[in-house]
């Protein structure tokens, strides 16, 4: 049986899960593929940590060159996380003609072109299935099985921490801050939760999905991104009344020759398959011009699900090496399709404001929306909830409009005598 | 650009959809893969039917050998449906060293080994992604991206016709016969619906999934199979009261060294992702020992979704030809794992019976279940619904038991003075 030797960068939680995935299923992988995969060297400082795997002191090294310059190693798995030194290490591995597999969305989104170029130049494979959707096989599937489609739209719930928080807020009527605290205690959210709760992690993943599906590069920083830290339990209750659930959505949509993309919390209709994706689960919903609607659902994080995706890539590369096949790269649209990235585009919006409880207030505000060309889809005036300042909550669902024009209208409304406070603005799917 | 020529067997609905999928996305496929795919010959008698595609009279032939013996043709797509002559044609194509792609679940399930052997012998690829789950990329994904898993269980809603009928019965409180009639009028069900409604189509698909995932052959005829024609609207209403939806499920489950498999309507808990798969949509739910729960959701039938899967296989083979790669076959477990197929296994059951409305009836029946070693999970006695014969509906949810033992217990109960009729028995997931 052909043996493929692998070097592993990082033996933290994900590294350990990946090692364990191989350990658990080694015999099954061998009997199925006819290839034996062995992780022979591991770059990791913490050699003494207790891990539930069989690893010998001889496997550890502190010197990355022990992996990059070892001619017996064919594949390097990068699981350090963070943009650097991971990116430098991966480039070095590629330049030394090692195939590279990574779960690192931040590094892939930041240096996508550099990795692709280095892989092509050195005739090796670069795979990053685990970087989006954790265990869900989405990237390889989009890049192979679904090639007979043009895609109109991708919608993703691709961050388990925020989906867990929103689910708990929805199911138990809790505040954001309280749920976050519990999530941190349980280890579902990090001590500094910024990258998750502010949508930065999701923007990295959306950037990767856009590269693969639409063939153009949009850096994560170019994607209008909002997180969930401003979502109130009142927003969630009102969403429910209108027939929606609030989810943090990654969206990329082709409108003619333009590509719109954004990361935002959104009202998702309750009968949409994404609405029932709860807690730590992720899902990616795509619409192709032949296949129509598809959804891929699974665990978007965690050591073993991530290990499944990483090892899936490693097995694919190992099989290609074993049969001496030319190494192929993800099929990518070379023509770039004249697709122009335009940012956020037009969306429907939910606006929750406090307004003076006086006759004519609804008419005046609705007229201002109308004069700005914004149609009103539904409205909810909760007169029973007048506060001590004689203000009432007034909630609108508005037809499609750019955020700039919406802000303009809300500015006019804010300057009028009627509105006192804009409490929240959330996209409606 | 390398051109790959394809012969097509059958230009009915699915054939036309496949042709159209290629036509719609030809430029995109070429720019993405660098390969041009052309359907040059079509075996089809009905040359005059109006189709929404551009096809010339010269492309048609009535003689299959015009395709099998044409050295310019690399790939044969089989979309005739039915076991014969499709199977003979596919074997002939393989023997003539053509790669074969098919959507034909009946033929693949019936002659799986013959196709695999012929493909290996002739060093060509045999692909059948479209045969299970229509447009959903499930087979290729199980056979590549998910290889780093041992699978414990597969659950599938893989027939759109029956899922449509059950959904309509559930949503509108309708009878099976009435919904079937409307489905037939709308073209969602065939004039002879037997293969769909009696689960035969599902058993074919489950046989294919088992081959791929568990590495053993179980012929469709060996799989205990029940359809939906006996499901009443009362069953659906009672399922709802207990917190379930009724779905026609394909199930294969590893229990130790044994494999259980069956096709049956089942009570699916409302909070399970499969419960929200409605109407013509399909979904396959798998649990791997690393990736955990995954679900793939999409359109299980229809010309374009099926065309997406067929063309996905054709593109994969074309890319392999273009780069001169050795042709690989689905990785299959060779060791066969000592897995022993045991049929239905143990299941939880819902039993709806009519019982005499006399004191002690519930105790007597529950005691009989107990004496047969069957635990009662829940019970519902609807005393307000006593009929003119002084009988009441009595509904049990029973703990895991073999069907044989359940039948034994029900036989005893039937012979007692208390029970008058067993109205329905449905598996509970």
């Amino acid at each position: 049986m052909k043996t493929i030797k692998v070097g592993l960068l990082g033996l933290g939680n994900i590294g350990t899960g990946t090692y364990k995935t191989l350990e658990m299923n080694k015999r099954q992988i061998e009997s199925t593929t006819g290839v034996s995969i062995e992780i022979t060297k591991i770059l990791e400082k913490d050699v003494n940590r207790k891990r539930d795997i069989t690893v010998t002191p001889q496997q550890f090294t502190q010197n990355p060159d022990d992996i990059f310059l070892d001619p017996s190693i064919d594949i390097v798995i990068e699981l350090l996380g963070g943009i650097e030194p991971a990116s430098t290490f991966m480039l070095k591995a590629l330049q030394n003609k090692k195939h590279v597999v990574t779960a690192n969305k931040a590094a892939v989104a930041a240096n996508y072109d550099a990795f692709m170029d280095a892989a092509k130049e050195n005739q090796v494979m670069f795979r990053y299935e685990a970087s989006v959707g954790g265990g869900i096989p989405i990237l390889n599937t989009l890049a192979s099985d679904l090639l007979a489609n043009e895609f109109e739209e991708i919608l993703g719930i691709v961050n388990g921490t925020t989906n867990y928080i929103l689910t708990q807020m929805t199911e138990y009527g809790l505040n954001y801050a309280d749920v976050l605290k519990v999530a941190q205690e349980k280890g579902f959210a990090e001590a500094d939760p910024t990258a998750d709760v502010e949508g930065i992690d999701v923007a990295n993943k959306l950037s990767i999905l856009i590269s693969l599906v639409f063939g153009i590069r949009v850096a994560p920083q170019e994607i209008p991104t909002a997180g969930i830290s401003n979502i109130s339990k009142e927003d969630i209750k009102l969403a429910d009344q209108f027939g929606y659930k609030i989810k943090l959505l990654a969206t990329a949509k082709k409108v003619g020759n333009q590509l719109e993309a954004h990361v935002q919390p959104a009202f998702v209709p309750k009968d949409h398959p994404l609405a029932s994706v709860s807690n730590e689960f992720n899902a990616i919903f795509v619409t192709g011009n032949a296949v129509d609607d598809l959804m891929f659902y699974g665990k978007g994080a965690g050591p073993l699900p991530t290990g499944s995706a990483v090892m899936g890539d490693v097995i694919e590369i190992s099989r290609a090496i074993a049969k001496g096949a030319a190494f192929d790269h993800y099929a990518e649209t070379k023509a770039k399709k004249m697709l122009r990235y335009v940012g956020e585009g037009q969306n429907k919006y939910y606006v929750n404001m406090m307004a003076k409880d006086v006759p004519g207030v609804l008419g005046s505000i609705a007229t201002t929306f109308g004069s700005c060309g914004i149609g009103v889809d539904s409205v909810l005036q909760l007169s029973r909830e007048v506060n001590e300042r004689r203000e009432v909550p007034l909630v609108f669902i508005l037809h499609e409009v750019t955020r700039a024009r919406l802000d303009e209208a809300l500015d006019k409304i804010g300057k009028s005598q009627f509105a006192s406070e804009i409490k929240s603005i959330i996209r409606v799917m």
Side-chain angles (χ1 to χ4, degrees), chain A:
Chain A
M1 190 174 335
K2 172 96 178 164
T3 297
I4 303 291
K5 293 191 175 167
V6 177
L8 173 60
L9 311 180
L11 197 63
N13 284 338
I14 301 299
T16 305
T18 298
Y19 197 98
K20 194 173 175 61
T21 298
L22 176 59
E23 212 173 56
M24 289 192 313
N25 296 314
K26 199 166 190 311
R27 281 191 48 206
Q28 132 115 359
I29 294 167
E30 288 171 5
S31 84
T32 309
T33 64
V35 179
S36 176
I37 295 167
E38 280 177 22
I39 296 176
T40 54
K41 281 189 189 150
I42 302 169
L43 180 76
E44 172 63 51
K45 281 182 199 135
D46 184 357
V47 299
N48 294 319
R49 178 176 157 186
K50 219 174 143 51
R51 299 172 175 99
D52 184 22
I53 52 175
T54 307
V55 56
T56 62
Q58 294 74 37
Q59 283 171 277
F60 285 107
T61 175
Q62 318 300 327
N63 179 2
D65 279 343
D66 283 351
I67 292 173
F68 304 145
L69 304 181
D70 182 339
S72 77
I73 287 179
D74 283 310
I75 303 173
V76 172
I77 301 174
E78 184 282 311
L79 298 173
L80 297 165
I83 296 177
E84 286 298 350
S87 295
T88 304
F89 284 173
M90 286 194 272
L91 286 171
K92 208 157 175 198
L94 293 166
Q95 284 148 8
N96 282 285
K97 305 211 182 292
K98 311 295 184 203
H99 307 278
V100 170
V101 173
T102 181
N104 189 332
K105 54 258 173 186
V108 175
N111 297 304
Y112 190 89
D113 283 327
F115 295 134
M116 295 303 139
D117 292 347
K120 277 174 201 166
E121 206 172 291
N122 293 284
Q123 285 296 299
V124 287
M125 292 168 90
F126 179 74
R127 285 284 185 275
Y128 44 98
E129 176 64 70
S131 69
V132 180
I136 305 172
I138 179 68
L139 301 183
N140 292 334
T141 308
L142 287 167
S144 61
D145 307 298
L146 296 171
L147 280 177
N149 288 274
E150 272 219 57
F151 286 95
E152 318 290 335
E153 191 172 33
I154 312 176
L155 294 169
I157 296 173
V158 289
N159 181 279
T161 304
T162 47
N163 202 46
Y164 173 83
I165 293 173
L166 290 172
T167 303
Q168 296 292 310
M169 288 174 72
T170 305
E171 288 187 2
Y172 303 104
L174 299 172
N175 283 319
Y176 167 78
D178 297 334
V179 178
L180 174 62
K181 215 176 135 218
V182 174
Q184 284 172 320
E185 283 162 14
K186 288 190 176 171
F188 295 169
E190 310 214 18
D192 175 2
T194 313
D196 287 322
V197 302
E198 298 307 339
I200 299 162
D201 173 77
V202 178
N204 283 330
K205 291 165 177 168
L206 183 56
S207 166
I208 295 170
L209 283 168
I210 289 172
S211 299
L212 207 60
V213 174
F214 297 107
I216 63 171
R217 304 282 168 273
V218 179
Q221 301 81 341
E222 294 178 74
I223 299 173
T225 298
I228 65 160
S229 55
N230 292 324
I231 302 291
S232 67
K233 65 182 181 186
E234 188 193 11
D235 293 327
I236 288 177
K237 210 177 107 195
L238 286 164
D240 181 67
Q241 288 184 31
F242 281 105
Y244 298 90
K245 285 195 182 176
I246 298 182
K247 296 286 177 190
L248 180 59
L249 278 195
T251 306
K253 187 168 76 172
K254 227 167 51 179
V255 182
N257 288 329
Q258 301 192 328
L259 182 74
E260 297 176 3
H262 44 89
V263 174
Q264 291 181 42
F267 278 35
V268 176
K270 280 182 195 167
D271 61 355
H272 191 283
L274 285 172
S276 50
V277 176
S278 297
N279 288 315
E280 77 274 30
F281 280 92
N282 282 15
I284 294 109
F285 188 94
V286 293
T287 310
N289 69 350
V291 75
D292 206 310
D293 293 345
L294 277 182
M295 190 173 81
F296 302 81
Y297 166 99
K299 292 219 166 150
L304 291 180
T306 307
S308 165
V310 169
M311 285 310 304
D313 280 343
V314 170
I315 292 169
E316 194 200 350
I317 294 171
S318 299
R319 292 174 74 199
I321 296 172
K323 62 183 186 204
F327 301 120
D328 71 322
H329 301 281
Y330 276 159
E332 278 189 6
T333 306
K334 277 135 203 140
K336 299 215 175 178
K337 290 181 200 158
M338 306 292 127
L339 212 54
R340 196 164 63 84
Y341 175 61
V342 297
E344 194 167 343
Q346 295 204 357
N347 291 290
K348 289 173 74 178
Y349 283 100
Y350 145 97
V351 176
N352 179 2
M353 61 177 80
M354 294 305 288
K356 296 278 183 301
D357 185 28
V358 294
V361 58
L362 179 60
S364 160
I365 292 173
T367 302
T368 308
F369 279 132
S371 71
C372 293
I374 305 173
V376 173
D377 181 283
S378 4
V379 65
L380 185 67
Q381 186 174 353
L382 301 164
S383 298
R384 66 183 181 282
E385 294 182 19
V386 177
N387 67 12
E388 67 281 1
R389 284 175 296 175
R390 294 203 54 76
E391 295 161 338
V392 283
L394 200 54
V395 183
F396 292 90
I397 305 278
L398 303 171
H399 284 303
E400 302 227 315
V401 61
T402 62
R403 181 61 191 255
R405 175 160 293 202
L406 173 63
D407 286 341
E408 200 184 296
L410 291 177
D411 194 50
K412 275 189 199 170
I413 291 166
K415 284 178 185 147
S416 76
Q417 53 176 314
F418 293 116
S420 53
E421 188 197 353
I422 307 297
K423 292 174 72 181
S424 47
I425 305 168
I426 300 175
R427 198 198 140 213
V428 176
M429 203 182 107

